[in-house]
Amino acid sequence: MDDFNVKAQAFTDLVLSSSNVVVLTGAGVSTESGIPDYRSPGTGLWEKIDQSIVSIDGFTREPSLYYDYSLELYPVRKNAKPNSAHYMLAELEKKGLLSGIITQNVDGLHQDAGSEVVHELHGSLRQAVCLNCSALQSMNEAMERVISGQNPPLCFECGGVLKPNAVFFGEPLPRIPWEQSLELSRSADLFIAIGSSLQVSPANSLPDIAIKAGAKLIVINFTPTPFDLDAQILINHQIGEFSSAVIKLLDSQNI
Ligand code: ZN
C-alpha cells in the first residue's frame, strides 16, 4: 500500500478505536465546493477585498458596500454543494462514530451533507440578522432583494438594516456554539482538525484543550499547521480525495 492508503487506513482505525471523536473544520473543507479560502496566497478572499467592508464598524457605517461586494460571490455560495469531505463526516456521524463538528465555516455545507451536530463558531451566512430588533431572516431572500435594488436589505419586522449572521471583524464569537465547542473538545479522546490552518484565535485553542485533556490528534491540511508535530497522523493530501478513500474503506469493511 502506498502512503496515501496507509494513512486512510490508519485514520479509519483510529476513528474506530476511539469513543469520542470531535472534528474541527476550516475553509479547506469547502474550497473543493468552490468556496474560496480566506487566507490562501493568491486566491484568498482577504487579499482581494478591503477588510473594513467585513468589519462591524465598516458594515454599520456603510452596509451597502458589503452587499455590493457580496453580490459577486452570492451565486457561488447559493449553488455550492457539499463535497466528499462533508459527506464523509456526515457518514461518520450516522454510523455513531462522531460526536460532533465544530466549524469555522459559515457556508452551511455540513448541514446540507446531513450532519446534525454542527457548532458554527463564526455564525452562518445562511441567515440575516436585523441590527435593530435581532429578528432572523433568510439571507438568500435578503440577497434576492439586493439584486432587485434594495441595498441594504431591510428587516420585515422593523425596517432595520439586515446583516449576515456571520461574525465580522470586531465582533465577538457567538457564546453558545463556543461553549459547546469547549465542552466537546474537553471530552474528546480523538480530535480531528480538517482544512484549518489552526492559526485563528480562539478556534486554534481547541486542539490544545483536547490534547491537554488526553485526546489524540489527527491533522488533515494541505499546508503546515502549528499542531503538525502533535499529530498522531498528519495528512497533507487533497481533503476531498482523502475523504473519498475513507468512505470506500468504511464501505468495503461494512462499517
Ligand atoms: Zn428588525
Side-chain angles (χ1 to χ4, degrees):
M1 276 200 286
D2 58 23
D3 182 55
F4 177 73
N5 287 309
V6 170
K7 287 198 169 167
Q9 185 66 59
F11 173 92
T12 310
D13 290 345
L14 195 47
V15 168
L16 288 172
S17 64
S18 303
S19 51
N20 203 348
V21 180
V22 172
V23 170
L24 169 70
T25 64
V29 162
S30 291
T31 45
E32 289 174 54
S33 292
I35 293 177
D37 191 354
Y38 291 96
R39 291 182 169 74
S40 294
T43 57
L45 275 183
W46 295 155
E47 288 197 353
K48 293 185 179 168
I49 61 160
D50 179 353
Q51 285 198 15
S52 70
I53 292 176
V54 283
S55 74
I56 187 63
D57 288 347
F59 183 87
T60 317
R61 221 170 22 243
E62 208 169 352
S64 59
L65 277 182
Y66 168 82
Y67 285 106
D68 282 341
Y69 143 76
S70 64
L71 275 178
E72 193 187 326
L73 208 57
Y74 172 59
V76 175
R77 289 199 175 276
K78 195 174 106 182
N79 298 317
K81 300 275 181 293
N83 62 56
S84 53
H86 300 104
Y87 286 119
M88 184 265 285
L89 295 175
E91 194 78 355
L92 290 179
E93 186 188 39
K94 274 194 204 92
K95 293 176 191 295
L97 298 169
L98 185 65
S99 303
I101 296 174
I102 302 164
T103 188
Q104 296 170 280
N105 298 341
V106 293
D107 53 40
L109 292 178
H110 285 302
Q111 291 91 330
D112 287 353
S115 288
E116 286 181 16
V117 182
V118 183
H119 302 297
E120 295 175 309
L121 287 181
H122 297 163
S124 173
L125 274 187
R126 296 279 175 94
Q127 281 178 333
V129 60
C130 172
L131 289 180
N132 183 48
C133 76
S134 303
L136 292 175
Q137 288 163 32
S138 152
M139 193 66 221
N140 276 358
E141 190 282 324
M143 285 307 294
E144 294 301 328
R145 280 190 280 149
V146 175
I147 290 167
S148 0
Q150 188 186 93
N151 185 3
L154 303 176
C155 173
F156 286 128
E157 308 283 335
C158 75
V161 170
L162 292 178
K163 175 194 164 287
N165 199 20
V167 176
F168 277 32
F169 286 111
E171 283 189 301
L173 296 191
R175 192 176 55 85
I176 290 171
W178 174 246
E179 282 173 3
Q180 287 167 331
S181 300
L182 278 175
E183 202 177 311
L184 261 186
S185 303
R186 283 191 199 110
S187 64
D189 64 350
L190 175 60
F191 191 97
I192 307 175
I194 312 182
S196 171
S197 58
L198 299 175
Q199 285 168 6
V200 182
S201 176
N204 64 356
S205 61
L206 295 173
D208 219 22
I209 286 166
I211 293 168
K212 286 197 175 112
K216 291 176 177 162
L217 177 71
I218 298 178
V219 172
I220 310 178
N221 201 45
F222 208 54
T223 53
T225 81
F227 287 89
D228 288 1
L229 290 176
D230 298 304
Q232 218 85 12
I233 307 174
L234 174 65
I235 297 144
N236 295 127
H237 245 279
Q238 290 290 354
I239 297 166
E241 195 190 359
F242 184 81
S243 302
S244 300
V246 170
I247 293 174
K248 266 196 208 131
L249 273 176
L250 292 170
D251 286 347
S252 69
Q253 295 168 16
N254 285 323
I255 295 158

